[in-house]
Amino acid sequence: MKYPLIVHTDPGMDGFSAELPDFAGCFTAGATVEELASNAQEAVELWFDGEEDKAVPAPSSLDVVLASEEARGGVVIVVDVDLSFLDKKAVPVNITMPVYVRNTIDRAAKARGLTRSAFIVESALHAAGREARR
């Protein structure tokens, strides 16, 4: 979903700071505009962290954001925010692996009191530098 991002430069600061006005109190920063836009995704995920029941705000119109006090002295760009991280529905996935790998996974999962699927999900999230959300 496309959301406006209000970008500012601060004297004496390298890079940019930004606010996602549709997510109250959601700020980010980056050395470049590209990094800033990328960091907006992480900022939104952190905004929802632990409160996934929050309502997803509708994007504000650019006219409203451009006329806002927050946008004064800044630039407004539009960033694509992927909200799929909020979808917790489990879906089946078919993967192929050698038998010894499956057996290794099963032993490790059993030792931790997990199912094979839970172990694979937890391991994949850990490898991706993410935490499992339960």
Side-chain angles (χ1 to χ4, degrees):
M1 193 171 285
K2 306 264 187 212
Y3 283 95
L5 181 71
I6 302 171
V7 180
H8 290 278
T9 57
D10 298 317
M13 181 182 126
D14 289 338
F16 304 92
S17 61
E19 172 185 358
L20 287 130
D22 295 311
F23 302 89
C26 187
F27 297 91
T28 190
T32 65
V33 174
E34 292 78 17
E35 183 180 331
L36 189 66
S38 170
N39 290 347
Q41 177 70 40
E42 181 180 9
V44 169
E45 290 182 26
L46 289 170
W47 188 81
F48 277 101
D49 192 35
E51 299 183 47
E52 284 81 6
D53 293 337
K54 280 184 182 177
V56 175
S60 296
S61 75
L62 283 178
D63 292 337
V64 170
V65 175
L66 287 167
S68 71
E69 180 68 29
E70 294 84 9
R72 188 166 292 142
V75 174
V76 177
I77 64 173
V78 176
V79 294
D80 190 21
V81 177
D82 179 5
L83 298 171
S84 66
F85 68 93
L86 294 171
D87 188 355
K88 304 297 185 214
K89 179 180 68 171
V91 294
V93 176
N94 185 16
I95 62 173
T96 303
M97 65 183 74
V99 171
Y100 83 92
V101 172
R102 185 202 60 202
N103 293 344
T104 301
I105 289 169
D106 288 347
R107 282 191 300 277
K110 184 177 180 182
R112 290 172 178 75
L114 298 172
T115 65
R116 178 189 300 152
S117 292
F119 180 82
I120 291 171
V121 167
E122 191 174 280
S123 298
L125 288 172
H126 177 75
R130 305 289 300 263
E131 224 178 276
R133 293 182 178 162
R134 296 171 199 237

